[in-house]
Amino acid sequence: MLVKNEADIVASVLNSASSWADKIFILDNGSDDGSWEIIQSMKNEIITPVRQDFRPFSRGIRAEIYNEFKHLSSNEDWWCLALDADEFYIDNPKTFLFSIPKTEHLVLKKSLDYYITEEDITESIFTDNFENNKKFIKYIKKECWSEPRFFRYRENLVWNPSEESQYPIHAGIISYKHILVKHYQFRSPQQMQKRLDVRNSSEAKKNGLAFRHVRESDWHELLKKRRELVYDDGSYETYKSLPVRNKLKQSWIKRLAIRLGMLLKIYK
């Protein structure tokens, strides 16, 4: 888990993830809003605050944490390669991953992306506490985003920090099943503005390639209209029915090549 300035939500995410994770390793990437202090106060047999690191964000940092603690794993264990500080799992990962066939090694999330609407702003009073605000945030983008979230551990699996890869390069075959996640990237006007300020800073633009897609400068620009979204009625069927807009797939030829590579131990 990499965290930067998520004081309004990080405790909620850690409490939720502690219900299914065996270990949670957290690196704070330079918070100045009290996030690190909250994380340290929650240290226990599951939650491990690793350290603060003020380097610019990079995917290689996740690989460093993996390499630091992978000795605790056994073959066939699952690693959550990115426990984002604004995500909650609808599917219980421990139960979900148990259902994945041994022939599949990489599980993608299907992200239900929540937005604050113009109507919400007029009807509700938002604070700096997510637990207060989440009851007002009830509308989801009509299409979901998908990206890797879990990989199956192998003793010789290599995740090289210098390669800036999102997951170990030979992680294996992608599962056909997506795990469902609630993603609250927008939680209050004040949080939205701070998020924009951080991502639009000269340092972020210089070092954080992932933030160059940010075009907005004012939180009002992030608001949606309810008619543009889907209402969260709490139904699992509603969540499952939302389409994924970026289909990350492996062709049968690629899947066969990966399988052969693993059998022949070409892939570590």
Side-chain angles (χ1 to χ4, degrees), residues 1-4 6 9-29 39 42 44 46-50 57-59 61-63 65-66 78-94 97 107 109 111 147-151 159 166-167 179-184 187 199:
M1 185 180 199
L2 296 186
V3 175
K4 184 169 184 177
E6 306 280 9
I9 195 172
V10 67
S12 297
V13 172
L14 287 173
N15 283 326
S16 176
S18 293
S19 69
W20 54 263
D22 296 306
K23 296 286 183 183
I24 304 173
F25 306 110
I26 310 161
L27 184 142
D28 184 279
N29 202 200
I39 292 163
M42 297 181 70
N44 57 31
I46 295 175
I47 297 171
T48 301
V50 179
F57 167 80
S58 74
R59 289 173 176 160
I61 296 176
R62 297 191 194 280
I65 299 300
Y66 165 73
W78 286 94
W79 270 79
C80 177
L81 61 95
L83 176 61
D84 282 355
D86 55 7
E87 291 183 345
F88 299 85
Y89 283 84
I90 298 171
D91 295 309
N92 183 305
K94 188 163 283 190
L97 295 168
V107 169
K109 73 162 183 173
S111 178
E147 61 185 35
R149 271 300 175 268
F150 292 89
F151 64 88
W159 190 358
Q166 195 170 2
Y167 54 88
I179 190 165
L180 290 176
V181 174
K182 291 187 175 185
H183 179 212
Y184 292 93
R187 305 183 293 276
R199 296 193 171 204

Side-chain angles (χ1 to χ4, degrees), residues 118-131:
E118 294 175 0
E119 296 91 337
D120 295 332
I121 294 298
T122 62
E123 296 174 6
S124 309
I125 299 176
F126 288 86
T127 69
D128 59 359
N129 185 289
F130 172 72
E131 289 300 319

Side-chain angles (χ1 to χ4, degrees), residues 224-249:
K224 300 288 186 182
K225 290 181 169 57
R226 287 179 179 174
R227 66 173 182 269
E228 301 171 337
L229 306 171
V230 174
Y231 178 70
D232 178 9
D233 61 1
S235 165
Y236 191 80
E237 291 306 312
T238 298
Y239 303 151
K240 290 286 288 184
S241 66
L242 293 173
V244 174
R245 71 178 184 268
N246 63 318
K247 298 283 187 179
L248 301 180
K249 293 181 178 179

Side-chain angles (χ1 to χ4, degrees), residues 23 63 75-76 115 117 128 141 151 179 198 208:
K23 296 286 183 183
N75 283 332
E76 301 300 322
Y115 281 82
T117 68
D128 59 359
K141 196 167 185 177
F151 64 88
I179 190 165
V198 168

Side-chain angles (χ1 to χ4, degrees), residues 94-101 177:
K94 188 163 283 190
T95 304
F96 183 93
L97 295 168
F98 186 76
S99 72
I100 301 299
K177 296 172 63 177

